[in-house]
Amino acid sequence: MSSNLEALVQDAAQQFAEAADPASLENAKARFLGKSGALTALLKGLASLSADDKRAEGARINQAKVQIENLLTERRQAMADERLQARLAQETIDVTLPGRGRGVGGVHPVIRTWQRVEEIFRSIGFDVADGPEIETDWFNFSALNNPENHPARSMQDTFYVDMKDSGGLPLVLRTHTSPMQVRHARTHQPPIKVIAPGRTYRVDSDATHSPMFHQVEGLWIDEHISFAHLKGVYTNFLRCFFETDDLVVRFRPSFFPFTEPSAEIDMMFTSGPNRGRWLEISGSGQVHPTVVANFGLDPERYIGFAFGSGLERLTMLRYGVDDLRQFYEGDLRFLRQFNQRL
Ligand code: DAH
């Protein structure tokens, strides 16, 4: 390397070393490597040399350039290290300070209702069953005495699954948890005493309806299960759920294809701010003989009741929520009210 190149490298080393902060270092870099820097000028000067000289001189200049670039990188790294050391020396961490804490999440109010419903029914000997949300047309409708083309089918606005995805088997998003009566009863022997909570779907959306919602189905089948059992079980459930004995229950005649007779269960608080008003709370009835036969059981021998209740409805009544859509908006201000830790 010619002596003037060596001098240039030494000059760069000195200027980099003298730079006290990153800005001065970058300025120093420009003086050597920048567009109008010393090395760039030398490279431009190559143009006037012969081909052989150009190659030899070019190689020397490049060598010098690499050295200067390495010096620059070293100096940058050294500066960063100095800065870090200075910060470490200056800053202290108080390890005795309490942590900032972290949101831990909480159980959704509707799921809390689901859990409580399970606890209450388990405590009086009911099993808990779970089943598919994509259901065959047969379990959702036909087995429940809801024949094809029967007007009762239009009581529920159904989401049908595209048949090309199901190999021709008619599939629906279950419109209620009632198909679980049939699924469970066909695989168990009486006495059958079960609840089946879960998600259900209907083409419906307003302040009291959501396209996805939750129900709990109840079924008790044996040789002598009557409406009196239904009344006892359901009244006990409501008293446990609302944590008060001050409520009464009445049965109002109704229609469901899978029960005969059918009834709406209404309840009324007899004390507290909501007392004195009948509230519709659940569908119910004595299981229709045709449905008992679809369970694979002899309807002359086995009899019992079923009910289907909305978990959102129970949750709204318990907490005084008046718009069901709030459950699904994910607004923390709403959800926090049910969970102090959120
Ligand atoms: N499946 C009915 C619905 O979603 C509710 C219902 C009514 C369920 C009566 C029952 C019953 O088990 O007996 O509208």
Side-chain angles (χ1 to χ4, degrees), residues 156 175-176 178 181 202 215 217 256 258-259 283-285 306-308:
Q156 302 181 345
T175 58
H176 50 178
S178 302
Q181 290 184 31
R202 284 183 211 176
Q215 287 191 338
E217 196 74 14
F256 298 101
F258 34 89
T259 43
S284 69
F307 61 82

Side-chain angles (χ1 to χ4, degrees), residues 264-318:
E264 296 290 345
I265 305 180
D266 297 338
M267 59 168 266
M268 181 167 72
F269 293 108
T270 54
S271 70
N274 295 320
R275 70 181 172 280
R277 208 156 47 89
W278 284 108
L279 306 163
E280 189 174 314
I281 194 81
S282 182
S284 69
Q286 182 175 298
V287 181
H288 195 289
T290 303
V291 177
V292 175
N294 287 333
F295 291 169
L297 300 174
D298 176 5
E300 296 296 330
R301 181 166 169 203
Y302 290 107
I303 189 166
F305 68 75
F307 61 82
S309 320
L311 296 184
E312 279 80 359
R313 175 107 179 112
L314 284 164
T315 314
M316 288 168 83
L317 285 174
R318 184 177 155 100

Side-chain angles (χ1 to χ4, degrees), residues 174-337:
R174 65 178 180 190
T175 58
H176 50 178
T177 43
S178 302
M180 280 308 294
Q181 290 184 31
V182 190
R183 283 189 177 272
H184 189 83
R186 285 168 76 89
T187 50
H188 293 79
Q189 285 306 311
I192 291 165
K193 209 177 161 190
V194 68
I195 61 163
R199 271 176 275 279
T200 49
Y201 302 85
R202 284 183 211 176
V203 187
D204 222 348
S205 187
D206 58 37
T208 50
H209 298 90
S210 145
M212 187 284 300
F213 57 106
H214 298 79
Q215 287 191 338
V216 57
E217 196 74 14
L219 178 69
W220 191 356
I221 296 285
D222 203 346
E223 293 186 2
H224 50 265
I225 300 301
S226 72
F227 251 80
H229 292 89
L230 170 59
K231 186 169 187 183
V233 163
Y234 210 88
T235 306
N236 168 73
F237 160 65
L238 290 175
R239 290 185 175 159
C240 292
F241 183 78
F242 290 106
E243 297 180 89
T244 175
D245 283 343
D246 295 344
L247 63 82
V248 289
V249 164
R250 78 176 179 192
F251 289 83
R252 188 159 40 83
S254 184
F255 169 77
F256 298 101
F258 34 89
T259 43
E260 182 60 35
S262 305
E264 296 290 345
I265 305 180
D266 297 338
M267 59 168 266
M268 181 167 72
F269 293 108
T270 54
S271 70
N274 295 320
R275 70 181 172 280
R277 208 156 47 89
W278 284 108
L279 306 163
E280 189 174 314
I281 194 81
S282 182
S284 69
Q286 182 175 298
V287 181
H288 195 289
T290 303
V291 177
V292 175
N294 287 333
F295 291 169
L297 300 174
D298 176 5
E300 296 296 330
R301 181 166 169 203
Y302 290 107
I303 189 166
F305 68 75
F307 61 82
S309 320
L311 296 184
E312 279 80 359
R313 175 107 179 112
L314 284 164
T315 314
M316 288 168 83
L317 285 174
R318 184 177 155 100
Y319 298 111
V321 176
D322 55 12
D323 189 334
L324 166 138
R325 287 168 295 200
Q326 291 187 292
F327 288 135
Y328 303 113
E329 279 167 2
D331 187 334
L332 281 177
R333 292 169 303 178
F334 174 73
L335 295 171
R336 261 194 205 107
Q337 300 174 89

